């Protein structure tokens, strides 16, 4: 029986010729990731159990991004604990203020993940790297600790849903709209425990940043991972960047899928997820002109804080003003993205429009800092979750959208399609 | 191994942000986390919950963030077992890894009501609602996972 792309990567890392859905395996890891929230828990587990060595100090990444630059004393204490651990074990990819960015923007950019690698991260959006043809999935802190000690993790081999993407998307339809559409269709548990494998001729219209956005939100459909085949777009991005040896896997012709689903990209419309679940989607055509008044607009996060996202927002905000009463916060994902955006003149556009630009951080995405909502407030955000209380008060609301829709909404003060400006 | 206690019932898609809101993730202290368990969905939960109580929810329990703080907060609050129709996969893994027993049983999850007294036999997977007298059978853990639990958690199973 043929294997899916995800199954092939797992088999290779488990030293097996073949694996089947449901099989429990132990596989070797190429990268183990943690952040400032999950690393301290993993370090406690590591130390309480008397571990004295890490398996490989080049294959662990600790990225201080959620509450950094440290938002308060407790956050500073957690980062200090992680920094001390990283110093003690000489963790090569410990990244703090000055080097850090949002982990899932940073790891691909720095070439720490790439085609064919197997990565676990104590952060649910670790599934982002599937965009590069990696098997990558979120785990908890105990798994991270076990991974740091042994270089291995246990997996239940997932079955898969195949998404066949065809057609060319319209202007203003981005990777974010593709994944919001899919989640709206299959629901927040539509791919529970499974792989989402994206294939099809439509992939040629999706750049690496769009793919990273799509794979990033596989978890919002409950998936174990999302994955794209390796093509020229991937190779161009990873060549000279990926520090490991790229290995290109592809699904067998006779691979078995639980479901197959064709998505015609040309029919998609800019899409918004309403509170309080990413599956509550509506296209911009289904939202009334002055239906949803917003107080805040956030453009950033591991979903949409990359340079193409900032360019898309800048294209809308150029020579326009943000509506009175709307706070617009732009957060480039990494230091490099920040520099690129600055050199391209995007910051002039943002600041002239009345937006602010932050240093890289997760910040408001998880209600940490840098833009918390009060009771009754509404935000349009390019982030990935709109759960109750996610960006602040339990009675605040988050609407998820692409950078273009978010920027257009910041201009009018209501959720608005960029086509309407 | 058994559990017996009063049920605290929740619905579909209980996410880790309501189990333990991110504003409390600036600490890894189990006790501090437990003090805010379920706060954004049921403000009174931490006052009502007693040692040994059982949490019952419907589908996709624990969806969202990978924070292990979520099962830690539930376990430290005194909950002895979570029963749900389905669990989000990272939450499932984390619970096993930290030793919070969780059982998937759709029928039990749907029928058991808030405030019922329920007992659970982990060896057989049998769930008894003592209030209604009805019994249910949950899927027992696969052998591989039973081994992790027997050895006292994931880390012990690998450091042995
Ligand atoms: S940007 Fe948001 S979703 Fe992404 S890693 Fe940070 S907190 Fe998590």
């Amino acid at each position: 029986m043929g294997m899916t792309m995800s199954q092939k990567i797992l088999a290779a890392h488990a030293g097996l010729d073949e694996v089947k859905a449901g099989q429990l395996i132990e596989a070797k890891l190429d990268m183990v990731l943690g952040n400032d929230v999950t690393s301290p828990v993993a370090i406690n587990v590591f130390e309480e159990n008397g571990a004295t060595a890490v398996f490989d100090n080049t294959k662990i990444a600790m990225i201080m991004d959620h509450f950094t630059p440290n938002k308060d004393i407790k956050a500073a204490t957690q980062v200090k604990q992680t920094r001390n651990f990283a110093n003690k074990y000489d963790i090569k990819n410990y990244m703090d203020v000055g080097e850090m960015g949002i982990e899932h923007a940073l790891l691909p950019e720095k070439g720490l993940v790439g085609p064919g690698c197997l990565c676990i991260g104590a952060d649910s959006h670790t599934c982002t790297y599937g965009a590069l043809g990696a098997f990558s999935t979120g785990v908890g802190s105990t798994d991270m600790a076990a991974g740091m000690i042994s270089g291995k993790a246990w997996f239940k081999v997932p079955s898969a849903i195949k998404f066949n993407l065809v057609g060319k998307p319209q202007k203003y339809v981005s990777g974010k709209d593709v994944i919001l559409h899919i989640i709206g269709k299959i629901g927040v548990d539509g791919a529970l425990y499974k792989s989402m494998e994206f294939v099809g001729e439509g992939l040629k219209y999706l750049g690496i940043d769009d793919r990273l956005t799509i794979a990033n939100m596989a978890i919002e459909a409950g998936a174990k991972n999302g994955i794209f085949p390796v093509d020229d777009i991937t190779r161009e991005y990873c060549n000279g960047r990926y520090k490991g040896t790229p290995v290109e896997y592809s699904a067998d012709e006779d691979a078995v899928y639980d479901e197959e689903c064709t998505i015609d990209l040309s029919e998609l419309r800019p899409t918004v997820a309403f509170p309080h679940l990413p599956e509550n989607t509506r296209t911009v055509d289904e939202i009334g002109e002055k239906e949803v008044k917003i107080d805040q607009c956030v453009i950033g996060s591991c979903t949409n804080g990359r340079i193409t996202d900032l360019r898309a927002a800048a294209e809308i905000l150029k020579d326009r003003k943000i509506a009175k009463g709307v706070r617009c916060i732009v957060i480039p994902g990494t230091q490099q993205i920040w520099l690129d955006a600055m050199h391209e003149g995007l910051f002039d556009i943002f600041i002239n429009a009345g937006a602010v630009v932050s240093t890289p951080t997760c910040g408001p995405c998880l209600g940490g800092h840098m833009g918390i909502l009060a009771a009754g407030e509404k935000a349009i955000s390019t982030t990935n979750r709109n759960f109750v209380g996610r960006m602040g008060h339990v009675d605040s609301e988050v609407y998820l959208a692409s950078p273009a829709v978010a920027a257009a909404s910041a201009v009018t003060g209501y959720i608005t399609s960029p086509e309407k400006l | 191994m058994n559990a017996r206690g009063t049920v605290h019932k929740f619905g579909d898609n209980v996410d880790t942000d309501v189990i333990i809101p991110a504003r409390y993730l600036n600490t890894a202290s189990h006790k501090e986390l437990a003090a805010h368990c379920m706060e954004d969905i049921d403000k009174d939960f931490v006052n009502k919950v007693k040692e040994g109580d059982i949490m019952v929810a419907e589908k996709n329990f624990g969806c969202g963030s990978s924070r292990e703080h979520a099962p830690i907060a539930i376990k430290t609050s005194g909950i002895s077992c979570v029963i749900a129709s389905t669990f989000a996969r990272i939450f499932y893994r984390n619970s096993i890894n930290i030793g919070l027993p969780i059982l998937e049983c759709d029928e039990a999850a749907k029928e058991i009501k808030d405030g019922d007294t329920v007992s659970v036999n982990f060896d057989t997977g049998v769930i008894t609602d003592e209030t209604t007298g009805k019994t249910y059978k949950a899927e027992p853990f696969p052998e591989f996972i039973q081994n992790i639990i027997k050895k006292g958690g994931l880390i012990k199973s690998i450091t042995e």
Side-chain angles (χ1 to χ4, degrees):
Chain A
M1 201 168 77
M3 289 189 281
T4 66
M5 184 174 172
S6 303
Q7 290 168 352
K8 279 192 160 174
I9 299 176
L10 286 172
H13 286 78
L16 300 169
D17 294 333
E18 201 190 35
V19 295
K20 287 196 187 69
Q23 187 177 342
L24 285 151
I25 57 161
E26 195 174 47
K28 280 195 181 147
L29 302 169
D30 299 306
M31 184 52 70
V32 178
L33 165 72
N35 57 46
D36 50 331
V37 167
T38 58
S39 299
V41 179
I43 291 166
N44 291 344
V45 172
F46 184 97
E47 289 174 344
E48 279 161 19
N49 285 280
T52 50
V54 297
F55 83 108
D56 185 336
N57 65 346
T58 64
K59 292 183 176 171
I60 295 169
M62 293 179 160
I63 316 295
M64 306 298 99
D65 56 359
H66 279 57
F67 298 148
T68 49
N70 301 323
K71 72 160 180 150
D72 57 22
I73 295 168
K74 284 184 176 174
T77 310
Q78 285 193 319
V79 172
K80 188 175 171 191
Q81 182 191 4
T82 310
R83 187 186 301 121
N84 288 347
F85 179 90
N87 284 340
K88 181 168 173 192
Y89 293 100
D90 195 21
I91 306 295
K92 297 295 178 198
N93 299 304
Y94 169 80
M95 293 183 209
D96 209 330
V97 174
E99 287 179 298
M100 69 77 162
I102 300 171
E103 53 199 299
H104 310 305
L106 196 64
L107 263 61
E109 179 190 291
K110 296 275 183 205
L112 295 174
V113 283
C117 85
L118 178 56
C119 172
I120 60 165
D123 188 280
S124 59
H125 292 101
T126 304
C127 53
T128 309
Y129 322 134
L132 308 177
F135 182 94
S136 192
T137 191
V139 296
S141 294
T142 298
D143 280 307
M144 180 190 172
M148 289 198 295
I149 298 167
S150 68
K152 290 184 198 153
W154 65 270
F155 298 95
K156 190 166 168 186
V157 176
S159 61
I161 305 178
K162 178 163 149 182
F163 292 90
N164 189 20
L165 309 181
V166 301
K168 184 178 178 194
Q170 310 163 8
K171 189 171 166 63
Y172 298 128
V173 171
S174 66
K176 184 61 161 286
D177 303 291
V178 176
I179 189 65
L180 286 176
H181 170 80
I182 291 174
I183 297 165
K185 202 173 144 101
I186 68 172
V188 291
D189 61 350
L192 197 61
Y193 304 127
K194 297 179 186 182
S195 302
M196 296 170 82
E197 301 208 353
F198 301 97
V199 298
E201 48 92 10
L203 291 184
K204 63 176 176 285
Y205 304 111
L206 297 171
I208 218 71
D209 286 0
D210 286 304
R211 296 177 189 190
L212 288 161
T213 304
I214 293 172
N216 174 271
M217 287 190 73
I219 179 72
E220 265 64 65
K224 183 166 202 144
N225 69 313
I227 198 164
F228 285 76
V230 177
D231 61 9
D232 284 342
I233 294 174
T234 332
R235 287 181 204 110
E236 199 197 321
Y237 180 80
C238 293
N239 281 352
R241 181 192 297 269
Y242 179 41
K243 295 195 171 80
T245 312
V247 185
E248 298 184 7
Y249 292 92
S250 50
D252 288 325
E253 296 263 313
D254 59 344
V256 183
Y257 297 91
D258 286 352
E259 271 172 76
E260 297 194 24
C261 175
T262 297
I263 309 273
D264 186 347
L265 301 177
S266 71
E267 286 176 2
L268 299 190
R269 298 284 295 140
T271 299
V272 178
F274 277 49
H276 289 284
L277 281 178
E279 70 182 20
N280 293 338
T281 54
R282 290 201 219 165
T283 67
V284 286
D285 312 311
E286 296 162 335
I287 305 170
E289 201 181 319
K290 296 218 159 165
E291 189 179 335
V292 185
K293 189 174 188 318
I294 56 157
D295 303 285
Q296 179 163 294
C297 165
V298 174
I299 296 167
S301 84
C302 61
T303 316
N304 285 117
R306 298 184 187 81
I307 191 68
T308 45
D309 301 314
L310 302 187
R311 284 182 197 137
E315 187 192 316
I316 306 286
L317 293 176
K318 191 168 169 30
D319 302 324
R320 294 200 171 98
K321 287 277 180 222
I322 283 154
K324 186 103 185 122
V326 175
R327 293 105 54 185
C328 181
I329 302 164
V330 181
I331 311 174
T334 66
Q335 293 285 82
Q336 187 59 51
I337 295 167
W338 209 97
L339 268 181
D340 291 346
M342 181 176 70
H343 288 140
E344 288 178 23
L346 306 188
F347 290 173
D348 291 322
I349 295 173
F350 295 142
I351 291 166
N352 286 331
V356 294
V357 179
S358 157
T359 189
T361 180
C362 295
C365 170
L366 82 162
H369 60 153
M370 298 296 293
I372 304 303
L373 300 174
E377 289 192 323
K378 293 182 167 74
I380 188 144
S381 177
T382 68
T383 52
N384 48 40
R385 289 192 175 133
N386 54 354
F387 299 150
V388 169
R390 175 78 179 178
M391 200 175 274
H393 196 280
V394 284
D395 296 326
S396 61
E397 290 183 349
V398 178
Y399 295 74
L400 307 174
S402 70
V405 172
S409 306
V411 168
T412 62
Y414 294 87
I415 294 184
T416 303
S417 169
E419 297 151 329
K420 294 266 169 65
L421 291 182
Chain B
M1 215 167 102
N2 294 302
R4 182 173 182 276
T6 307
V7 167
H8 300 266
K9 180 82 191 266
F10 297 92
D12 287 340
N13 301 314
V14 172
D15 61 78
T16 53
D17 274 278
V18 297
I19 297 173
I20 181 72
R23 57 184 179 276
Y24 303 120
L25 299 184
N26 54 2
T27 176
S29 149
H30 292 193
K31 267 179 112 175
E32 267 185 75
L33 293 169
H36 300 290
C37 189
M38 311 308 283
E39 182 175 294
D40 284 359
I41 191 169
D42 179 2
K43 263 208 203 84
D44 238 16
F45 175 79
V46 289
N47 301 323
K48 291 184 298 198
V49 68
K50 295 183 306 300
E51 195 62 36
D53 279 359
I54 289 172
M55 196 177 270
V56 181
E58 299 194 19
K59 64 174 189 158
N60 204 25
F61 186 85
C63 61
S65 137
S66 68
R67 60 190 71 157
E68 207 159 288
H69 314 67
I72 289 173
I74 291 175
K75 190 179 175 201
T76 313
S77 77
I79 291 289
S80 62
C81 171
V82 187
I83 300 165
S85 300
T86 53
F87 290 93
R89 59 160 285 277
I90 305 179
F91 184 89
Y92 186 89
R93 224 184 143 95
N94 287 346
S95 300
I96 288 162
N97 288 346
I98 68 151
L100 171 68
I102 58 174
L103 292 172
E104 276 189 347
C105 181
D106 189 45
E107 218 193 334
K110 289 207 170 102
E111 293 183 1
I112 294 174
K113 298 211 164 47
D114 193 56
D116 286 3
T117 301
V118 163
S119 58
V120 182
N121 183 323
F122 294 121
D123 298 329
T124 59
V126 172
I127 300 166
T128 309
D129 186 333
E130 295 179 4
T131 308
T132 62
K134 209 165 164 193
T135 61
Y136 308 88
K137 179 97 173 65
E139 278 291 310
F141 289 124
E143 205 186 305
F144 181 86
I145 291 172
Q146 274 182 21
N147 275 337
I148 293 180
I149 294 171
K150 259 191 223 139
K151 286 188 181 152
L154 178 68
I155 292 285
K156 295 229 168 64
S157 77
I158 66 150
T159 47
E160 233 176 33

